[in-house]
Amino acid sequence: MTRLFRLLCNTSLKAPSFSLSFTLIPSLSSSSSSFSSKCRAEPISVPSQLPPVPKRVPFTVSLHGHSWQDPYHWMRNISDPDFLDYLNQENSYARAFMADTQTLQRTLVTEMKNQMPAKVSTPVERFGPWLYYEYIPEGKEYPVFCRRLGTKRRGWAERLLSYAKAGLGREEILLDWNEVAEKHGYVHIGQCRISPDHNFLAYTLDATGGELFMLQIKDLRNGYLVPRAPVDRVVSLAWAQDCQTLFYTIADENQRAYRVLCTKLGSGNTDDILIFTESDPSYCVDLTSTKDGKFITVNSNSRSSSEEGIYLFTTISFSYVYVVDATDPLSGLQRVHERVSGIQYFLEHHFGFFYILTNAPMKENMMCSSDGFYLARCQAGDIQSTTWQNIFYASKDTILQDMDIFYGHLVLFLNKRGCPMICSVDLPINVDCKHQMRIEDLDPWFFPVPSNSCSIQPGSNLDFASSVYRVVLSSPVMPDVIVDYDMSRRIFSIVQQEEVLGVSSNARSCSLRYELDTQEHLDSEKVENNQSIELQRWKDFSETYCCERKEVISHDGVRVPLTILYSQKVWKSNQSPGILYGYGAYGEVLDKSWCVDRLSLLDRGWVMAFADVRGGADGDSSWHKSGSGLFKQNSIYDFVSCGKYLIDEGYVHRDQLSAIGVSAGCLLIGAALNMYPDLFRAAILKVPFLDILNSLLDPSLPLTTLDYEEFGNPQIKSQFESILRYSPYENIPHGGCHPSVLLTASFNDSRVGVWEAAKWVAKVRDGTCSFCSRSVILKTNMSGGHFGEGGRYIQCEEIAYEYAFLVKVMGIHIN
């Protein structure tokens, strides 16, 4: 249900009722001192107290003939009282620095909260006889996971009618995140898995922020937790068909999932059964079950998926895949194929056949490139055969990315020249063994989606018997739309679209990207149905907010996608302030979906841009490879090129460009600040990965060995030299001015140590202009983890704080 929760958190904002304007003239507090005008085009008010000065302890690092000093290495010991005292001092300084923004913060928070609906919920989703859904109660921070008994399956019109009715059977509350948060003070639910008989809910709970997820099993018949010995560090879950056997993976001290175990409910055994152990420290294990529940797959991958990952296999370099017969869970593992470097597999099962998405070389022809995925098939009893049937491959300019499978349909996720697409194919497929087929040969139905650039996120889609596929569509100018695609009738219905209060009168209907392709396959009855659905068009705000997709020429001539968002009404050429977002790691797509929080700045004339730099995702795997490892600097130069483009083309004022990054995205921005400090006026670095060289030199840190493939292993000289050239902590320029930076960290962060932000701030203050460095502040959550608090209203306060920081340090006066 994690994708549904993202929708719940992105609740509505309405435009403010008062007039908004900005100028480039700063508002100064008479009680504060200011920076020297020789350091800034405009002065910035600062508190009278000076920033804290941490102790320096000599420490020398030597490798490959290089030696360097790291006087803040001692901060790695987070139990050191001096370190705790230093973080508290930094928090105190941050409060003093932001004191003159309190009114603005309150304005933004009030604006955001007042524009939220009192209660938000997801539409019901059928799984077996039950209808599952989530909602956030009025005044609460977190969702409640519920269900109620449904009625027999009906057509789309009847389903829409049932969604509108206030009840369909008695509601059962399965999991209330608010109760967990009240008990522990923090809540992060990892995975939730309903047993096939719907009697048990297995889920993982992190109550500290350190991602030490505990296994919890709730008996839904009586509402009590199943008593069992505690198990920590649980990562993934899968139920067997007997509804009594639960498989799970556990992680080692480095957060590497390396073991598969199973537990039997009601057995009375204190020790769970070990199924598999991955002894290679560069591999981690993932656990899933096929859609029909007949098999459980165990994937041993060369690198874990990133924290924002959607498609696991797109970020794996090579893997083992095993299957377990879910009807005989203790029968042992069966390996699908031997491990081969660069080869990946993704399995689903359908009536005696395994459908395999793979990039393994085709022996009989070379229609598929070495990096391209295609679909193969084999009988379940012959999975180790080397003679799989190759069903089809994607076209030359189209990439096959993922699949889902149902009783009568196969769903395919594709990318055509950077544009996401999704289609369904009727099952079973009549495989032509003599000729290699293309997707087009299978009479696919391409789901109609908006014509403007949008993301396509699958819903839970748990019901194997369903002929309806649910997705969440979103774009920078289109609020999230939940759409059901009836794959049998080849029609769609809009179930729900996020309401945006205050600007709805400016909304307009989107056109369909695949309208013609869809109608070619409709008979007369379906045409009539489709015409009635035309009235349901999703709404967007492209008449209010302009969203442009540009291609920016990087340092080596490569074209980098840049998405630019601004208000049609208040944006001013060469005068507007702007934010450039970037990530560029793990082959991940930069999130550009609708976010109502942005309206607070867009309606004040700001520009928001998203740079899809190399190292992230843009279709095939080559985009990721060309910005990782020895090629990581490409992503940095791409980001800088996008920043220069925004200024040179007049989208952003020359002295009003800022940048925002999260986690590994902070490496990108930190390096760009070092290389081009005059390009950016300010930056926000959240849970920042900045001390990459020293972190990768310590294999005892969580995820370090798994990150060697993404960033390189500094024990190898060539990779060490590459990392040393761009590492943000090692390359802070000395003596010059530095952009204003807000860093937010979490004390219990197990992915990126809290010391990385603290060390970087201390070193910036050591070596850069003493006036400028006073606008570099560190705010540490002393109880949270890598993913923050995550509550609905807490997020408003965090975002308002960040926006207020940018408004202040960029010298913008808001009336």
Side-chain angles (χ1 to χ4, degrees), residues 5 8-9 120 134-145 175-182 185-189 787-795 798:
F5 180 55
L8 287 171
C9 290
V120 291
E134 287 181 297
Y135 69 91
I136 300 180
E138 184 174 352
K140 296 292 186 179
E141 293 281 356
Y142 302 103
V144 179
F145 181 31
L175 182 61
D176 187 340
W177 291 31
N178 298 284
E179 291 182 357
V180 179
E182 290 172 5
Y186 177 89
V187 59
H188 183 183
I189 304 296
F787 298 99
E789 299 294 340
R792 186 185 184 204
Y793 297 112
I794 291 174
Q795 287 186 339
E798 293 175 350

Side-chain angles (χ1 to χ4, degrees), residues 605-616:
W606 288 60
V607 174
M608 295 186 173
F610 308 85
D612 285 301
V613 302
R614 279 172 283 184

Side-chain angles (χ1 to χ4, degrees), residues 189-193 202-205 211-217 231-239 245-252 255-263 272 276 284-289 296-301 304-305 312 751:
I189 304 296
Q191 291 206 337
C192 288
R193 296 289 182 267
Y203 62 96
T204 59
L205 167 65
E211 297 187 63
L212 302 178
F213 287 93
M214 302 177 290
L215 174 60
Q216 308 273 272
I217 304 174
V231 180
D232 292 329
R233 302 183 185 276
V234 178
V235 181
S236 52
L237 307 169
W239 285 99
T245 305
L246 177 70
F247 289 79
Y248 62 92
T249 60
I250 59 172
D252 60 16
Q255 287 193 331
R256 178 182 71 94
Y258 76 116
R259 281 184 175 172
V260 179
L261 298 96
C262 76
T263 185
D272 293 339
F276 174 76
C284 61
V285 178
D286 183 56
L287 192 66
T288 60
S289 53
I296 294 169
T297 61
V298 178
N299 297 269
S300 182
N301 310 313
S304 66
S305 61
L312 177 64
R751 290 177 179 259

Side-chain angles (χ1 to χ4, degrees), residues 624-773:
H624 171 219
K625 293 177 181 177
S626 61
S628 61
L630 294 174
F631 305 103
K632 182 60 187 173
Q633 288 191 82
N634 283 337
S635 65
I636 302 165
Y637 289 125
D638 290 351
F639 191 76
V640 169
S641 298
C642 289
K644 291 181 177 179
Y645 180 90
L646 292 172
I647 292 172
D648 293 343
E649 297 299 316
Y651 286 99
V652 176
H653 184 280
R654 183 164 298 277
D655 193 39
Q656 295 292 320
L657 179 62
S658 62
I660 294 182
V662 181
S663 193
C666 298
L667 185 158
L668 171 77
I669 294 172
L673 295 180
N674 289 341
M675 295 178 182
Y676 297 89
D678 295 332
L679 180 61
F680 299 95
R681 180 71 175 267
I684 296 176
L685 307 179
K686 303 196 280 190
V687 287
F689 186 32
L690 296 167
D691 192 16
I692 177 174
L693 180 58
N694 291 310
S695 291
L696 292 179
L697 283 172
D698 187 353
S700 69
L701 292 176
L703 306 179
T704 290
T705 55
L706 296 174
D707 270 339
Y708 287 159
E709 184 177 340
E710 178 67 26
F711 303 107
N713 183 352
Q715 298 295 342
I716 301 172
K717 185 176 182 180
S718 60
Q719 297 178 24
F720 163 81
E721 292 173 345
S722 174
I723 296 168
L724 183 61
R725 279 194 291 269
Y726 67 79
S727 175
Y729 182 68
E730 269 71 35
N731 291 283
I732 296 170
H734 290 274
C737 292
H738 197 280
S740 302
V741 183
L742 164 64
L743 297 92
T744 60
S746 293
F747 189 77
N748 293 327
D749 192 339
S750 59
R751 290 177 179 259
V752 181
V754 62
W755 61 84
E756 296 216 12
K759 289 177 63 178
W760 188 87
V761 168
K763 193 170 183 181
V764 166
R765 298 228 185 93
D766 268 353
T768 63
C769 168
S770 60
F771 294 103
C772 294
S773 63

Side-chain angles (χ1 to χ4, degrees), residues 6 251 282 376 396 545 592 647 686 762:
R6 187 186 73 81
S282 62
K396 187 175 182 180
Y545 305 103
K592 297 181 287 293
I647 292 172
K686 303 196 280 190

